[in-house]
Structures are given as structure tokens and as C-alpha cells.
Amino acid sequence: MYAAVLDRLSGVRRTRTGWHAQCPAHQDRRPSLAMALAEDGRLLLYCFAGCRTDAILSALGLSRHDLFPPRPARGDESRPPVAHHGDILRSAVTRV
């Protein structure tokens, strides 16, 4: 999933927490676009120059849908369910 985004960018370099690249939404001499994978598989984008995510995706010819991992087929239990904040809170309260 994230390879489709990285392949469309210039100046990509791996960092300790993800990647940096030149932002396609503005004239960028130095990499100002930071990218990282969230625990749930989403690709997170942040432009330090202030470009909005929609502007970055538009410049890449992508949509917000492209930032999310593919959904498993119905009945496919190979991927564990993602815990929601409420589930984590309930879990913490029941352990106390």
C-alpha cells in the first residue's frame, strides 16, 4: 500500500520512524513531507510546510482510501481486530 505512495514521490529517504520526501503539493527543495505507518496499518502524511493531506493526495493522483490497508475478506480472521479507544478503556477498568 505505502509503496504506491513512495513510488510517486521524489527525494524519498528512510528515517527512524518512517520516510521523508519532497512534498508534491508545493515547490519543495528540501524534504518536508513526513510519512509513517500507524499501528493499524494506515499511512500517515504530514507536510511541515503546511500542505493539507487532500492537496498532497491530489498532487499524487491518489485518494484518502489509498492511505488505508486493504480490508480482509469476510470471514478472514487472519488479521486481529483493531482495538478502539473505548475497548482499551474498558479493558483497563476491568483490570483495576
Side-chain angles (χ1 to χ4, degrees), residues 8-50:
R8 297 172 189 229
L9 293 168
S10 299
V12 177
R13 65 182 172 86
R14 184 84 166 119
T15 66
R16 199 170 39 90
T17 58
W19 302 268
H20 281 164
Q22 293 173 326
C23 179
H26 73 274
Q27 293 288 5
D28 207 1
R29 290 185 208 149
R30 300 162 96 200
S32 64
L33 180 64
M35 296 160 289
L37 284 176
E39 288 183 22
D40 62 1
R42 291 175 296 146
L43 181 62
L44 307 174
L45 302 176
Y46 181 79
C47 177
F48 290 98

